[in-house]
Amino acid sequence: MANIAKKVSWSSRAEESGVAGERTPLFNGSEQPRLSRQLSGGGSVFQIGRLSTVDLEEEITSDEDSQRGRPKEIPHNEKLLSLKYESLDYDNIENQLFLEEERRMSYMGFRCLEISRWVVCGLIGFLTGLIACFIDIAVEELAGIKYQVVKQNIEKFTEVGGLSISLILWAVLNSSIVMLGAIIVAFFEPIAAGSGIPQIKCYLNGVKIPRVVRLKTLVVKVCGVICSVVGGLAVGKEGPMIHSGAVVAAGVSQGRSTSLKRDFKIFEYFRRDTEKRDFVSAGAAAGVSAAFGAPVGGVLFALEEGASFWNQMLTWRIFFASMISTFTLNFFLSIYHKNPGDLSNPGLINFGRFESDSVAYNLYEIPLFIMMGAIGGLLGALFNLLNYWLTIFRIRYVHRPCLQVMEAMLVAAVTATVSFTMIYFSNDCQPLGPEHTEEYPLQLFCADGEYNSMATAFFNTPERSVRSLFHNQPGTYNPLTLGLFTLTYFFLACWTYGLAVSAGVFIPSLLIGAAWGRLFGILLASITSSGSIWADPGKYALIGAAAQLGGIVRMTLSLTVIMVEATGNVTYGLPIMLVLMTAKIVGDYFVEGLYDIHIKLQSVPFLHLEAPATSHWLTAREVMGSPVTCLNRIEKVGTIVDILSNTSTNHNGFPVVVQVTGSDEPAKLCGLILRSQLIVLLKHKVFVELARSRLTQRKLQLKDFRDAYPRFPPIQSIHVSQDERECMMDLTEFMNATPYTVPQETSLPRVFKLFRALGLRHLVVVDDENRVVGLVTRKDLARYHLGKHGLEELQVAQT
Amino acid sequence: MANIAKKVSWSSRAEESGVAGERTPLFNGSEQPRLSRQLSGGGSVFQIGRLSTVDLEEEITSDEDSQRGRPKEIPHNEKLLSLKYESLDYDNIENQLFLEEERRMSYMGFRCLEISRWVVCGLIGFLTGLIACFIDIAVEELAGIKYQVVKQNIEKFTEVGGLSISLILWAVLNSSIVMLGAIIVAFFEPIAAGSGIPQIKCYLNGVKIPRVVRLKTLVVKVCGVICSVVGGLAVGKEGPMIHSGAVVAAGVSQGRSTSLKRDFKIFEYFRRDTEKRDFVSAGAAAGVSAAFGAPVGGVLFALEEGASFWNQMLTWRIFFASMISTFTLNFFLSIYHKNPGDLSNPGLINFGRFESDSVAYNLYEIPLFIMMGAIGGLLGALFNLLNYWLTIFRIRYVHRPCLQVMEAMLVAAVTATVSFTMIYFSNDCQPLGPEHTEEYPLQLFCADGEYNSMATAFFNTPERSVRSLFHNQPGTYNPLTLGLFTLTYFFLACWTYGLAVSAGVFIPSLLIGAAWGRLFGILLASITSSGSIWADPGKYALIGAAAQLGGIVRMTLSLTVIMVEATGNVTYGLPIMLVLMTAKIVGDYFVEGLYDIHIKLQSVPFLHLEAPATSHWLTAREVMGSPVTCLNRIEKVGTIVDILSNTSTNHNGFPVVVQVTGSDEPAKLCGLILRSQLIVLLKHKVFVELARSRLTQRKLQLKDFRDAYPRFPPIQSIHVSQDERECMMDLTEFMNATPYTVPQETSLPRVFKLFRALGLRHLVVVDDENRVVGLVTRKDLARYHLGKHGLEELQVAQT
């Protein structure tokens, strides 16, 4: 609790950096000095420089492009909160324009809107399913070609000797494919690296992540993930699907593409953060659904991550999108597999069918499962810890794009070498079954009619390996093979996650877990000689996979449902849930989940579900930013421009106040206006004087705000002449006249609850006479978290 | 929109009933006339009489008992809102006592609380599973005996003639069993009638329904449902499970039973509405899970109904309770079926296994499914409409307990007679399969080795009938049998729902739907002679069941998941969802869902998900109750007693205000206090004067409030002497110092959102100087709804 005292944040540094000096020029021409003392407060006095916060989605100019690949900007300290991230405006801006529009709309109008929301969700599901289908087919085809080439080569050289040539061929093939994937990610769109799940979690949490839902990101992501999977890295193609779905949703719902400069003039009503975020959650759900064939799991994922903003109609639409997505994938894959109508491929990963009778479990096995959960938690924590150190190392030393590409190539080559060595030195020969379940059986040094069992694990796409670990007959793998495989794949996967390639961590986790789970089952069967119940190691492979995945990513509820749906057997619900819970509890004791680690390393102001348990003694007064920059209801243009141009504060929301004329009392709150709104007003020169002179001037409409959304121009690009600076602006019509407020004495958990439940961006703190005393934003709440030594406060960092 | 004008509510009637006359004695002895003008406002000036609203859970005294059976009190008009229902206090009362307790609590304390929450949820799941198991076994055993007796009798008389004696035996048996069930419901606990789902929906919505979560209700419910199912009524035992789970949850979580007068001194922290309601939602989910073997469906049901209050930790616990519940049921049933370890009975209703390969569907069948959805919607609307008229009739004419019992017996006798007639005149003989899938095959007039197929549908528990409709071989039923069965069962089920017996409508709906669905499938197969894809009518039975159920109850999301989980085949997800959506859209066009009809007929102030779409032109000023009864921060005891005793207002929440001394300005809001708190304060005589004189007096603690929860004594039972009336009470420590407020101009949707998202009971409306101008409660928001002619306003009724 002592940590809370050393506030290195806002207010204390305000004095050091000489804000007072800056203040004077800022308010040149301001006729109301009474206001100015509220301006440029403690808030954010650091130089944010070129990263204008309102304009995170601006087009990156060429000189910025060269810097973008360098994650030097990313503060690599999880004790910091970055100021560069802004919140989404999830709360409706209920100003007069909005209310007028809503009041004008008939009941049929609302029905039509609702129908178009359903149409959009259907489209999102369909397109996401198509993308999943495209990725799957591309990977199948390309990997097929690669494995055939390598297999033929190996077979050729097995007879004549000189297998090292095969090794080199394999390694070079892998490296060059991965190089392709790494280049597009590292040089063109670094945000497309990794699985994208942390980014989507943040977006759904309400944080604006720059460039995350762009068309370019989608293209790079899709091509990147194909390259990394075909390149034989220890990665999956499932995580990126979630990101892809989100991008599809953000694109489709807006009815236009800024990148392609096409505006279809549809869905204009949806051009605001509230609606867009709702659709993005549907897209993420559709992605999950396509990835795992788990529509309900997708819905729960969207709910878990976008938790606070529950809305039933929205949930239905999300479910609809998920259903359509898995159906589309299933339908097109059934055609691809030349078996139309056989809807047995609901997801990219297919666990195969677990029949209840063959793999039933007993009550006395549950403690064993829980034990496996604990092992999974431990291994997961180890994985996360190693990856954490690796990420820190990468942030420090591997931040150039070319270095990143080289690392990715290195990993690809090492993966191929290790795989080859493992296969080479393995002498685990298994008879080739009559039904040819193996896609690419490698005979190598085995007798005719046999194949190398290590090769099924390594010489295969990871999805197939998982399936064979779940379903192959008992005796297919010997324990040594499984042990070695677990060990090597664990480190390979850990090294791979965080490379500058698009790739997910779901499948590698499942694979590691399935391997040691199967090993566990085999050992168990050998210890207890009796009883056929132990005989099937596939069951333990499933539980191990769940434990490992739970230990690494720690998403209990949606993960359980995803696993249950992917298994297609509800009987396994309870054991899977218990395993995931144990893994989470054990893992959380050591370190956070992998996604949370990466979110923290990016210093994102992520709001958790609830305020820290022991934060009842903090009140709004202590957490709020103060003093606040306020605007008058009728304000001078010059003042507004100066406030917006002030790069040292860079506020985004401004309480609008009313001064009691002649009185010396502080001003009373009467509304709230956003930077983006002011920018649009300035751009359209909505000045009182001009309205009087030009009576015919078109009244500003909501459409003007929507057209500017989401890439509002920066204030620097708006030219205001010296004459215009003297004009006045009437904000009455545009401000949100009924912002949410809390009294100063409100406890932090209560503030938190209000903020989170309504998805707010700015919460005005008022005294008992309704005068503005402070403003609570996301950073003020995200700062407090429960550390090892009680409540801790994060520092707010510049970048 | 015109309807909004004719306000027959609160304020307009205030003048008529002579409130002014009542006001004078009320404020005798009040020293602060300034306050009194705010008192006894428009709010609720009707004589509520003996139904003291704070004390809805009081013990019913003997003379009231005789009246209870008469639903005359229930206003049988869906255009009314009853004042007798109060809201739950879901919002935490953050007063100083609460904050001090929270601040004192260490991090470990919070962890322990969290662990005990999990333990409670585990217990809830376990007990709910046990109850489900008990019901199932009791029904199986008793129904088995009954059918054996009747079967033997029929067989005896088939040979010698005189089957009318069998009919009489059957009818008398059924009637007497049903009589038993109806007597306990009608005379001892009328709230246990029906499925209980409407009541639980209301509770989760935040409405306090009297006596709904009592132990007595549970006992009557469980016995009642056994009687009605064994008595052969067209009912299911699934709906009541949800109610049972909720009661279990409310009981277990409080660590005491007021009915049994036992206090286990555990879980005292959970003795408030916030925690209790959370546990009740877990209990309802556990009930769904046990009923349908659908743990995820249970979670979604709880979320859908308690929608706004999403909380992730809570959702995990709900899921845990659901899992434990279905597992317990499964485990004990497997022992009962002498097959321990075979976990194939996850729910009370078991749809049996739908194998994807045998009952696959094709893309071109989807339009057919949607057509079936439309049929389901139409039939559902018809069902609801008939039941609505029937309910109105019952409220008017069948309100005496003895009449209700007689009606139930009549229905039981008619059901037996109709069944018998149908079986008797049916000549649909089917060969007896070798595997004896029929439990009680009736040979009747069939040849040896054959059985009467109509009897499988009628002479069976409904669950078994559903399963045989889904899975029996094509050709088992002929179309005429199915058609007649659909017709008769439709009217029987419609007549049965709403009787004074505990019974659900799920299974009858499924049965009706499965019957016409199978008929649809058979007709389809006969029209299109080619193609084996049409051959399996079981698939159409499933879709028909979904359509009919969807048409009657209209719960899309959780219903889909429940159906998919019960089917155990995710492939059917999309068709089931499309069917349910179609059924909902078609059905909603005519009439609401069955549960909603019954909720409306009870005039419950049920808050829907969102404010009506076209309500943006209403503001807080128009919807709020005003003027408001306020209290001073330090208030005279006499005034408080008078306010609380005023039966004509009967407010439950009072804004606490601070008067600026010497100033004539209206008072500023500084807190909110509840009637229940004031009652406890009065009971413990927490007066300023007494605190001074008796320095040793124990300080009031939260425990005192918890001990009084939930059955706070009525004000009449608290004796305050004339001297004490002159004392003062300091409310500072006990009031919620930071109530949520909104400005007067806030639009109704915005008020609604805040109210719903945080589960509020009182929302204070303030002016721009933070002075209290009104109070928004549940009734003010529930009043507005979207009718056929735009926005309509409901009247607020006395009872």
Side-chain angles (χ1 to χ4, degrees), chain B residues 159-185:
Chain B
E159 290 161 26
V160 303
L163 270 173
S164 50
I165 297 171
S166 300
L167 166 61
I168 291 169
L169 171 76
W170 192 3
V172 168
L173 258 180
N174 275 6
S175 288
S176 43
I177 299 170
V178 167
M179 186 183 73
L180 208 69
I183 284 175
I184 53 173
V185 169

mmCIF file of all heavy atoms in Angstrom, chain B residues 159-185:
data_model
loop_
_atom_site.group_PDB
_atom_site.id
_atom_site.type_symbol
_atom_site.label_atom_id
_atom_site.label_comp_id
_atom_site.label_asym_id
_atom_site.label_seq_id
_atom_site.Cartn_x
_atom_site.Cartn_y
_atom_site.Cartn_z
ATOM 1 N N GLU B 159 -59.654 -58.515 -23.409
ATOM 2 C CA GLU B 159 -60.107 -59.859 -23.736
ATOM 3 C C GLU B 159 -61.585 -60.052 -23.407
ATOM 4 O O GLU B 159 -62.383 -60.498 -24.230
ATOM 5 C CB GLU B 159 -59.269 -60.899 -22.998
ATOM 6 C CG GLU B 159 -57.839 -60.963 -23.549
ATOM 7 C CD GLU B 159 -56.880 -61.611 -22.590
ATOM 8 O OE1 GLU B 159 -57.319 -62.428 -21.770
ATOM 9 O OE2 GLU B 159 -55.676 -61.261 -22.650
ATOM 10 N N VAL B 160 -61.947 -59.662 -22.179
ATOM 11 C CA VAL B 160 -63.324 -59.943 -21.751
ATOM 12 C C VAL B 160 -64.299 -58.845 -22.132
ATOM 13 O O VAL B 160 -65.497 -58.987 -21.922
ATOM 14 C CB VAL B 160 -63.377 -60.170 -20.231
ATOM 15 C CG1 VAL B 160 -62.454 -61.307 -19.827
ATOM 16 C CG2 VAL B 160 -63.024 -58.885 -19.495
ATOM 17 N N GLY B 161 -63.816 -57.714 -22.684
ATOM 18 C CA GLY B 161 -64.712 -56.615 -23.008
ATOM 19 C C GLY B 161 -64.954 -55.748 -21.786
ATOM 20 O O GLY B 161 -64.570 -56.087 -20.655
ATOM 21 N N GLY B 162 -65.553 -54.561 -22.029
ATOM 22 C CA GLY B 162 -65.824 -53.664 -20.914
ATOM 23 C C GLY B 162 -64.648 -52.771 -20.606
ATOM 24 O O GLY B 162 -64.276 -52.579 -19.453
ATOM 25 N N LEU B 163 -64.065 -52.220 -21.686
ATOM 26 C CA LEU B 163 -62.896 -51.364 -21.497
ATOM 27 C C LEU B 163 -63.243 -50.067 -20.789
ATOM 28 O O LEU B 163 -62.361 -49.347 -20.335
ATOM 29 C CB LEU B 163 -62.252 -51.058 -22.851
ATOM 30 C CG LEU B 163 -61.180 -52.067 -23.270
ATOM 31 C CD1 LEU B 163 -60.727 -51.782 -24.676
ATOM 32 C CD2 LEU B 163 -60.012 -51.983 -22.309
ATOM 33 N N SER B 164 -64.564 -49.753 -20.715
ATOM 34 C CA SER B 164 -64.927 -48.503 -20.048
ATOM 35 C C SER B 164 -64.483 -48.529 -18.588
ATOM 36 O O SER B 164 -64.186 -47.489 -18.007
ATOM 37 C CB SER B 164 -66.435 -48.275 -20.135
ATOM 38 O OG SER B 164 -67.099 -49.448 -19.711
ATOM 39 N N ILE B 165 -64.398 -49.711 -18.003
ATOM 40 C CA ILE B 165 -63.908 -49.777 -16.624
ATOM 41 C C ILE B 165 -62.447 -49.351 -16.568
ATOM 42 O O ILE B 165 -62.037 -48.606 -15.675
ATOM 43 C CB ILE B 165 -64.092 -51.208 -16.071
ATOM 44 C CG1 ILE B 165 -65.584 -51.525 -16.046
ATOM 45 C CG2 ILE B 165 -63.483 -51.341 -14.682
ATOM 46 C CD1 ILE B 165 -65.908 -52.957 -15.720
ATOM 47 N N SER B 166 -61.675 -49.774 -17.571
ATOM 48 C CA SER B 166 -60.274 -49.338 -17.628
ATOM 49 C C SER B 166 -60.194 -47.824 -17.725
ATOM 50 O O SER B 166 -59.379 -47.176 -17.065
ATOM 51 C CB SER B 166 -59.582 -49.946 -18.841
ATOM 52 O OG SER B 166 -59.618 -51.329 -18.779
ATOM 53 N N LEU B 167 -61.047 -47.283 -18.586
ATOM 54 C CA LEU B 167 -61.049 -45.833 -18.759
ATOM 55 C C LEU B 167 -61.319 -45.151 -17.429
ATOM 56 O O LEU B 167 -60.620 -44.208 -17.034
ATOM 57 C CB LEU B 167 -62.110 -45.441 -19.789
ATOM 58 C CG LEU B 167 -62.466 -43.949 -19.834
ATOM 59 C CD1 LEU B 167 -61.247 -43.123 -20.186
ATOM 60 C CD2 LEU B 167 -63.576 -43.697 -20.831
ATOM 61 N N ILE B 168 -62.330 -45.662 -16.716
ATOM 62 C CA ILE B 168 -62.660 -45.029 -15.439
ATOM 63 C C ILE B 168 -61.501 -45.164 -14.457
ATOM 64 O O ILE B 168 -61.120 -44.195 -13.785
ATOM 65 C CB ILE B 168 -63.958 -45.654 -14.863
ATOM 66 C CG1 ILE B 168 -65.126 -45.236 -15.761
ATOM 67 C CG2 ILE B 168 -64.186 -45.211 -13.425
ATOM 68 C CD1 ILE B 168 -66.389 -45.986 -15.476
ATOM 69 N N LEU B 169 -60.901 -46.326 -14.421
ATOM 70 C CA LEU B 169 -59.755 -46.517 -13.528
ATOM 71 C C LEU B 169 -58.669 -45.497 -13.830
ATOM 72 O O LEU B 169 -58.150 -44.822 -12.943
ATOM 73 C CB LEU B 169 -59.206 -47.940 -13.692
ATOM 74 C CG LEU B 169 -57.871 -48.183 -12.970
ATOM 75 C CD1 LEU B 169 -58.086 -48.327 -11.476
ATOM 76 C CD2 LEU B 169 -57.140 -49.393 -13.533
ATOM 77 N N TRP B 170 -58.370 -45.398 -15.121
ATOM 78 C CA TRP B 170 -57.314 -44.485 -15.539
ATOM 79 C C TRP B 170 -57.654 -43.039 -15.156
ATOM 80 O O TRP B 170 -56.846 -42.318 -14.555
ATOM 81 C CB TRP B 170 -57.112 -44.626 -17.053
ATOM 82 C CG TRP B 170 -55.885 -43.961 -17.600
ATOM 83 C CD1 TRP B 170 -54.930 -43.315 -16.901
ATOM 84 C CD2 TRP B 170 -55.493 -43.883 -18.970
ATOM 85 N NE1 TRP B 170 -53.956 -42.840 -17.736
ATOM 86 C CE2 TRP B 170 -54.279 -43.179 -19.025
ATOM 87 C CE3 TRP B 170 -56.052 -44.351 -20.170
ATOM 88 C CZ2 TRP B 170 -53.612 -42.921 -20.217
ATOM 89 C CZ3 TRP B 170 -55.379 -44.091 -21.362
ATOM 90 C CH2 TRP B 170 -54.166 -43.382 -21.377
ATOM 91 N N ALA B 171 -58.866 -42.634 -15.494
ATOM 92 C CA ALA B 171 -59.271 -41.258 -15.218
ATOM 93 C C ALA B 171 -59.255 -40.973 -13.719
ATOM 94 O O ALA B 171 -58.788 -39.920 -13.272
ATOM 95 C CB ALA B 171 -60.655 -40.997 -15.806
ATOM 96 N N VAL B 172 -59.755 -41.922 -12.936
ATOM 97 C CA VAL B 172 -59.796 -41.696 -11.491
ATOM 98 C C VAL B 172 -58.394 -41.633 -10.905
ATOM 99 O O VAL B 172 -58.073 -40.759 -10.093
ATOM 100 C CB VAL B 172 -60.637 -42.804 -10.801
ATOM 101 C CG1 VAL B 172 -60.440 -42.762 -9.296
ATOM 102 C CG2 VAL B 172 -62.094 -42.639 -11.161
ATOM 103 N N LEU B 173 -57.545 -42.549 -11.355
ATOM 104 C CA LEU B 173 -56.150 -42.525 -10.895
ATOM 105 C C LEU B 173 -55.512 -41.163 -11.169
ATOM 106 O O LEU B 173 -54.966 -40.517 -10.280
ATOM 107 C CB LEU B 173 -55.354 -43.603 -11.628
ATOM 108 C CG LEU B 173 -55.050 -44.904 -10.900
ATOM 109 C CD1 LEU B 173 -54.252 -45.831 -11.782
ATOM 110 C CD2 LEU B 173 -54.302 -44.632 -9.604
ATOM 111 N N ASN B 174 -55.608 -40.737 -12.430
ATOM 112 C CA ASN B 174 -55.016 -39.456 -12.808
ATOM 113 C C ASN B 174 -55.587 -38.317 -11.982
ATOM 114 O O ASN B 174 -54.861 -37.494 -11.432
ATOM 115 C CB ASN B 174 -55.272 -39.178 -14.299
ATOM 116 C CG ASN B 174 -54.228 -39.841 -15.172
ATOM 117 O OD1 ASN B 174 -53.396 -40.596 -14.682
ATOM 118 N ND2 ASN B 174 -54.263 -39.563 -16.457
ATOM 119 N N SER B 175 -56.905 -38.272 -11.907
ATOM 120 C CA SER B 175 -57.540 -37.163 -11.205
ATOM 121 C C SER B 175 -57.098 -37.095 -9.759
ATOM 122 O O SER B 175 -56.829 -36.014 -9.227
ATOM 123 C CB SER B 175 -59.052 -37.322 -11.239
ATOM 124 O OG SER B 175 -59.517 -37.077 -12.513
ATOM 125 N N SER B 176 -57.032 -38.255 -9.107
ATOM 126 C CA SER B 176 -56.709 -38.185 -7.685
ATOM 127 C C SER B 176 -55.257 -37.755 -7.477
ATOM 128 O O SER B 176 -54.951 -36.998 -6.553
ATOM 129 C CB SER B 176 -56.999 -39.520 -6.999
ATOM 130 O OG SER B 176 -56.542 -40.570 -7.792
ATOM 131 N N ILE B 177 -54.353 -38.213 -8.353
ATOM 132 C CA ILE B 177 -52.955 -37.781 -8.200
ATOM 133 C C ILE B 177 -52.858 -36.271 -8.435
ATOM 134 O O ILE B 177 -52.228 -35.548 -7.679
ATOM 135 C CB ILE B 177 -52.052 -38.541 -9.182
ATOM 136 C CG1 ILE B 177 -52.102 -40.044 -8.894
ATOM 137 C CG2 ILE B 177 -50.622 -38.065 -9.066
ATOM 138 C CD1 ILE B 177 -51.426 -40.899 -9.950
ATOM 139 N N VAL B 178 -53.536 -35.815 -9.494
ATOM 140 C CA VAL B 178 -53.490 -34.383 -9.811
ATOM 141 C C VAL B 178 -54.137 -33.573 -8.687
ATOM 142 O O VAL B 178 -53.668 -32.484 -8.332
ATOM 143 C CB VAL B 178 -54.157 -34.106 -11.165
ATOM 144 C CG1 VAL B 178 -54.406 -32.628 -11.363
ATOM 145 C CG2 VAL B 178 -53.293 -34.644 -12.285
ATOM 146 N N MET B 179 -55.197 -34.131 -8.106
ATOM 147 C CA MET B 179 -55.873 -33.426 -7.009
ATOM 148 C C MET B 179 -54.893 -33.133 -5.889
ATOM 149 O O MET B 179 -54.827 -32.018 -5.367
ATOM 150 C CB MET B 179 -57.027 -34.274 -6.478
ATOM 151 C CG MET B 179 -57.861 -33.563 -5.432
ATOM 152 S SD MET B 179 -59.153 -34.643 -4.784
ATOM 153 C CE MET B 179 -58.203 -35.763 -3.777
ATOM 154 N N LEU B 180 -54.121 -34.150 -5.559
ATOM 155 C CA LEU B 180 -53.111 -33.985 -4.512
ATOM 156 C C LEU B 180 -52.190 -32.799 -4.841
ATOM 157 O O LEU B 180 -51.953 -31.913 -4.012
ATOM 158 C CB LEU B 180 -52.293 -35.277 -4.443
ATOM 159 C CG LEU B 180 -51.678 -35.619 -3.104
ATOM 160 C CD1 LEU B 180 -52.778 -35.996 -2.122
ATOM 161 C CD2 LEU B 180 -50.701 -36.782 -3.267
ATOM 162 N N GLY B 181 -51.690 -32.825 -6.080
ATOM 163 C CA GLY B 181 -50.780 -31.753 -6.489
ATOM 164 C C GLY B 181 -51.462 -30.404 -6.475
ATOM 165 O O GLY B 181 -50.873 -29.390 -6.074
ATOM 166 N N ALA B 182 -52.720 -30.363 -6.912
ATOM 167 C CA ALA B 182 -53.419 -29.085 -6.991
ATOM 168 C C ALA B 182 -53.753 -28.556 -5.601
ATOM 169 O O ALA B 182 -53.699 -27.344 -5.355
ATOM 170 C CB ALA B 182 -54.693 -29.247 -7.820
ATOM 171 N N ILE B 183 -54.070 -29.471 -4.684
ATOM 172 C CA ILE B 183 -54.429 -29.018 -3.330
ATOM 173 C C ILE B 183 -53.256 -28.317 -2.670
ATOM 174 O O ILE B 183 -53.380 -27.211 -2.135
ATOM 175 C CB ILE B 183 -54.903 -30.218 -2.471
ATOM 176 C CG1 ILE B 183 -56.332 -30.615 -2.888
ATOM 177 C CG2 ILE B 183 -54.871 -29.865 -0.985
ATOM 178 C CD1 ILE B 183 -56.842 -31.845 -2.189
ATOM 179 N N ILE B 184 -52.064 -28.936 -2.720
ATOM 180 C CA ILE B 184 -50.940 -28.290 -2.033
ATOM 181 C C ILE B 184 -50.609 -26.955 -2.674
ATOM 182 O O ILE B 184 -50.254 -25.998 -1.990
ATOM 183 C CB ILE B 184 -49.688 -29.199 -1.958
ATOM 184 C CG1 ILE B 184 -49.291 -29.717 -3.332
ATOM 185 C CG2 ILE B 184 -49.910 -30.358 -1.002
ATOM 186 C CD1 ILE B 184 -47.973 -30.481 -3.300
ATOM 187 N N VAL B 185 -50.779 -26.895 -3.998
ATOM 188 C CA VAL B 185 -50.468 -25.624 -4.647
ATOM 189 C C VAL B 185 -51.534 -24.577 -4.317
ATOM 190 O O VAL B 185 -51.227 -23.476 -3.851
ATOM 191 C CB VAL B 185 -50.339 -25.808 -6.170
ATOM 192 C CG1 VAL B 185 -50.280 -24.458 -6.873
ATOM 193 C CG2 VAL B 185 -49.106 -26.618 -6.491
#
